[in-house]
Amino acid sequence: MRSLTPTCHAGVTRFETGRSAMMASWTAVVAACAAEPEDAACGGLRRTWRDTYRPPTTSAKRLVIGAGEGTTGTHTVAEWVSEARDPPLLVGHYHMGYPNYTDPERRVAHNRKWKFGPFKALMDAKPMQRATFDFDIFQDWDGVFDTPVPQLFPYIFATYPNARVILTTRNGTAWWDSRSHGLVQKRLSPVPFASLSNRPVHRIMKNEMNPTGQMRGSNALDAALLLAAHNALVRCLVPRDQLLEFDVFEEDDDAVKAKIKAFLGY
């Protein structure tokens, strides 16, 4: 295979297609574009992905996609998104669903529908299957947040090009400290871009004997840079009128809730 020499301009589209090239393209192109003007950098990224990936199907559904990595307030924001409308929006977050119904049987059934439906399908999707995997699996859901959604965001957004995307951000080193030293699920979660390698998300998280690709095996500087690169990728792929970005750790809760409702049109 030819060596990859990415630039931010038309030459970036000369990457070979295929799994290994996809992984190389995201990491190398983000680095190559860091110092370029926004339009040039984002144009290169968009062309690379457009020329590399064709989703098996696309949906006109205006899905709400949480593109922010976990531990950036995704749990709270998923609940706020659900509450933005009456009746509430149906939102999947990691292994549970919102609204958090008070009736126990209804709550369990709702959570199982997410956990053993779209969540499991995305967690199990093998990298070699992603080019042909149909990501149009959210027919029964209004919004989707947290692992494994941000890890597979380029595929999901390509499938739902009309989606409204919410990017939750956070100071990179504070994010690393919380995620690498928090609950076991956080420590085992993938660092940004790890899932674009050769393992499905659930294999990265379940391999407790090998921290490669996991937050607990990272360091603050690398993790902060990867988080910034992930956020830059989201900003480049999503048209500005379809993107809402905020930091719940720096902004007032009521102000963020108002932003969400206005963004979603409620």
Side-chain angles (χ1 to χ4, degrees), residues 1 7 9 14 21 26 31 36 38 43 86 95 144 150 170 195 198 212 220 223-225 237:
M1 186 172 69
T7 69
H9 304 289
R14 291 198 295 268
W26 288 128
E36 293 288 336
E38 181 180 350
D86 185 16
H95 55 72
V144 291
R170 187 177 184 180
S195 59
N198 61 351
T212 302
L225 180 61
L237 290 181

Side-chain angles (χ1 to χ4, degrees), residues 96-152:
M96 67 178 294
Y98 285 102
N100 193 13
Y101 294 111
T102 55
D103 177 72
E105 291 187 6
R106 190 179 185 187
R107 182 170 64 248
V108 169
H110 186 56
N111 290 343
R112 287 179 61 86
K113 184 177 182 180
W114 168 255
K115 184 176 181 179
F116 296 103
F119 174 77
K120 186 177 188 303
L122 294 180
M123 291 288 281
D124 291 347
K126 297 178 180 178
M128 66 183 65
Q129 299 171 332
R130 289 178 190 157
T132 57
F133 183 88
D134 190 350
F135 285 86
D136 184 15
I137 57 175
F138 304 112
Q139 294 88 350
D140 297 328
W141 299 88
D142 301 304
V144 291
F145 283 77
D146 210 279
T147 304
V149 173
Q151 288 78 18
L152 299 171

Side-chain angles (χ1 to χ4, degrees), residues 80 246-248 251-261:
W80 288 348
F246 50 78
D247 181 344
V248 296
E251 300 187 43
D252 176 75
D253 287 0
D254 289 337
V256 172
K257 290 179 183 178
K259 286 182 180 180
I260 291 172
K261 293 191 72 172

